[in-house]
Structures are given as structure tokens and as C-alpha cells.
Amino acid sequence: MTAEKIVAARKTSSRPLAKFPGTLVLLGAGKMGQAMLNGWLARGLDPRKIVVIEPQPSKALKALAHRGLSVNPKGKAASASVIVIAVKPQSAPAALPVLAPYAGKGTLALSIMAGRTLGTLQASLPAGTALVRAMPNTPAAIGRGITVACPNAAVTARQRKQATDLLTAIGSVEWVKDEHLIDAVTALSGSGPAYVFLLAETMARAGISVGLPPALATRLARETVAGSGELLHQSRLDAAILRQNVTSPGGTTAAALDVLMGPGGFEILLAKAIAAATRRSRELAG
Ligand SMILES: NC(=O)c1ccc[n+]([C@@H]2O[C@H](COP(=O)([O-])OP(=O)(O)OC[C@H]3O[C@@H](n4cnc5c(N)ncnc54)[C@H](OP(=O)(O)O)[C@@H]3O)[C@@H](O)[C@H]2O)c1
């Protein structure tokens, strides 16, 4: 490969959305919507190809309007190549009808709404619309989320690639065929950041209870959770091996793990917690 070709290939791989065809409509530019928007722009999506429908546009969104991004356009709408639905599930009945003029033949609708099934989404969009239901998580805000996506039967290979490219803007992407798995995904990775933040909170409180000043305990807990997360991210080793690597037989870590992994400990509690979240996700689905 010539030097020019290598530079061109690098440019394309860091800007995978530079050749995005047609228009992308984003419904709802709150925390998740804005995170995706930032990711798309960073990956080369031309703001002039983006339409955002959002009742209270942020300053950042208004600033993007100066670069050609269209916010709450009036007048006749043309069919979009992708519609991304990022409103709260409870806002969906009021919000989704606005999308009708953008949903044409060949449009892909990608929803990140928790608990809104492919069946419910289908009922709000023209029959036969290609749909992807996706469940991201909050590290999306720093491009380090993980999203699990599930397509309906109308999604083509090209649309699946398009959805992957758009979701990769906020982190990693996994696909599942069985929509029922989304409840367990919601319980594990969707709600998971809250479990990790609780771990940091609880470690800090436990540190205070064994005599550390509160500010030091909080900092130690925060950096330990963040650093261990980063080590896990960068390492090729499984979590269990990384755990074993810091555990000497009869040592301090082993004493703590005897409690955490013993009867009624962390493992059992987390299994119960994730089962409860899975059940709740099933109850809320509609
Ligand atoms: N945050 C998470 O961890 C997470 C994880 C997985 C999935 N999700 C899903 O992601 C979606 C967005 O969550 P979020 O945390 O980003 O919520 P959010 O910050 O409340 O964002 C939703 C946005 O939609 C706007 N909106 C409300 N009604 C609208 C309408 N009729 N038309 C267009 N926009 C409208 C809201 O505006 P106003 O503020 O003016 O109402 C808000 O800016 C939800 O469906 C949630 O289930 C979130």
C-alpha cells in the first residue's frame, strides 16, 4: 500500500460516518441523544445531514445549528435513512407520531428506549419498517458504553452495519437475535453502572468505618474502582484471573474474599439483584 493510501485508509477508519448516506433524524437530545450526537460528529458525520427533534434544545445543540444541523425543522419532511429514537419511554406516545413523515421505504428506525419492544415500536411506525431495539449504558457519555442491539426481520445487512457504525460512536456493540435477552441485558449492562457506583460508595463507607478520614476513603474507593475498571478494560486476562493475581493464600485480600464469596455474600447478592432487575424489566416491557 502506498503512503497516500495508508493515510486515506486511516482517515476513513477514524471517520466511519463521513460517507453516511441521506439524513439522520434524532428524536430526543437528552443525555443519551447528545452523547450519540457528539460521537457521530466526532466520527465524521456531516451536521448538515442531521435533523434533531427536541423540545428544549441545549446551547450545544443551538451552536451546532450554526454548522448546518437542523433543529425542529418546520415544513415538509423528507424520508430519512435512519431515525434514532432517544426519548424517555413515557414520552414515546406523544413523540413518535412526529416521525411519520421521516419514515419511508428503506428507513431504519433505531430505538434506545428502555422497555419498548420491537412490537410496540412497529405499531407506531409504518408497517414493514426496519427496526433495531438497542440497550446502551451510561458510560456512553464518555464513549465507553456497551450497547446490545436486536433487529427485526426487515433489517438488511447494510442497515445492521449502519446501526453498528452509529452505536459504535458511544462504545462497543453486541447483537442478539432473541429479543427476550434484552431484559437480562438491561439488568446486567444497562443497570450495571449503578452497581459499580454503589460498590465505590460502599467501599468508601467501609473504609471510614475502619478508621480512614472520609475524604481519603472516598478517593481511595473511587480510584480503586476506576483503576480496576481500566485494568480490566486494557488487560486480556479474565476478571477471575485478575482477582486471583491480587490474592495471596492466607493474606488480606483472601480474608476479604472469604466474606464476599461466602454464604450470603457478594456473589449471591449480585445474582439476586440481577434476577430482580430482569424480572422488573419484563414487567415494564410494553
Ligand atoms: N441513561 C441511561 O442510562 C440509559 C440507558 C439505556 C437506555 N436509555 C434510554 O435512553 C433514552 C433517553 O434517556 P436519557 O437518559 O437520555 O433521557 P433524557 O436525558 O431525559 O433525554 C430525553 C430527551 O427527550 C426529550 N423529549 C421529550 N419529549 C420529546 C418529544 N415529544 N420529542 C422530542 N424529544 C422529546 C427530552 O426533552 P425534555 O427534557 O424537555 O423533556 C430530553 O431532552 C430513554 O428511553 C432511556 O430508556 C437510557
Side-chain angles (χ1 to χ4, degrees):
M1 211 189 265
T2 63
E4 288 81 12
K5 276 188 181 163
I6 291 170
V7 171
R10 280 202 190 125
K11 268 192 181 163
T12 312
S13 63
S14 65
R15 295 168 57 81
L17 298 173
K19 290 187 178 159
F20 183 87
T23 313
L24 186 153
V25 175
L26 172 65
L27 181 72
K31 290 181 282 298
M32 278 290 170
Q34 186 69 51
M36 286 192 288
L37 192 54
N38 295 343
W40 298 334
L41 294 168
R43 278 163 180 73
L45 184 57
D46 184 342
R48 290 169 300 182
K49 292 184 172 181
I50 307 175
V51 172
V52 177
I53 302 169
E54 162 60 52
Q56 292 182 53
S58 63
K59 274 189 188 158
L61 205 54
K62 286 180 189 158
L64 284 169
H66 295 297
R67 289 174 53 197
L69 179 140
S70 171
V71 183
N72 300 323
K74 303 272 180 288
K76 203 168 177 293
S79 121
S81 48
V82 181
I83 291 168
V84 176
I85 303 167
V87 293
K88 291 274 190 208
Q90 57 273 28
S91 309
L96 292 185
V98 173
L99 294 176
Y102 295 101
K105 207 169 177 281
T107 301
L108 168 69
L110 166 61
S111 163
I112 63 158
M113 288 189 293
R116 288 291 170 264
T117 63
L118 288 170
T120 314
L121 290 164
Q122 185 59 83
S124 312
L125 292 161
T129 302
L131 286 169
V132 169
R133 176 182 172 194
M135 172 51 59
N137 63 6
T138 48
I142 54 160
R144 284 281 302 275
I146 182 151
T147 301
V148 176
C150 180
N152 76 354
V155 174
T156 64
R158 186 185 55 79
Q159 288 172 323
R160 184 180 160 125
K161 158 111 184 29
Q162 215 164 31
T164 302
D165 286 345
L166 291 170
L167 291 170
T168 303
I170 50 167
S172 315
V173 182
E174 294 285 337
W175 285 85
V176 294
K177 279 188 192 147
D178 179 359
E179 190 181 0
H180 291 108
L181 294 179
I182 295 289
D183 294 312
V185 165
T186 303
L188 180 57
S189 55
S191 305
Y195 318 152
V196 178
F197 299 137
L198 176 65
L199 177 67
E201 288 175 62
T202 313
M203 282 174 68
R205 279 198 288 273
I208 295 166
S209 72
V210 290
L212 290 171
L216 180 60
T218 304
R219 180 158 165 73
L220 294 181
R222 185 185 183 104
E223 291 303 316
T224 301
V225 171
S228 306
E230 190 57 33
L231 177 60
L232 186 60
H233 177 68
Q234 290 189 23
S235 173
R236 288 194 187 152
L237 300 174
D238 286 346
I241 303 292
L242 290 170
R243 169 176 57 76
Q244 284 157 20
N245 286 351
V246 283
T247 315
S248 327
T252 55
T253 313
L257 290 179
D258 282 348
V259 177
L260 288 173
M261 299 173 81
F266 191 61
E267 283 184 301
I268 290 165
L269 279 178
L270 213 50
K272 274 194 202 167
I274 289 177
T278 306
R279 278 196 303 277
R280 188 66 184 138
S281 176
R282 277 189 206 123
E283 285 164 11
L284 293 175

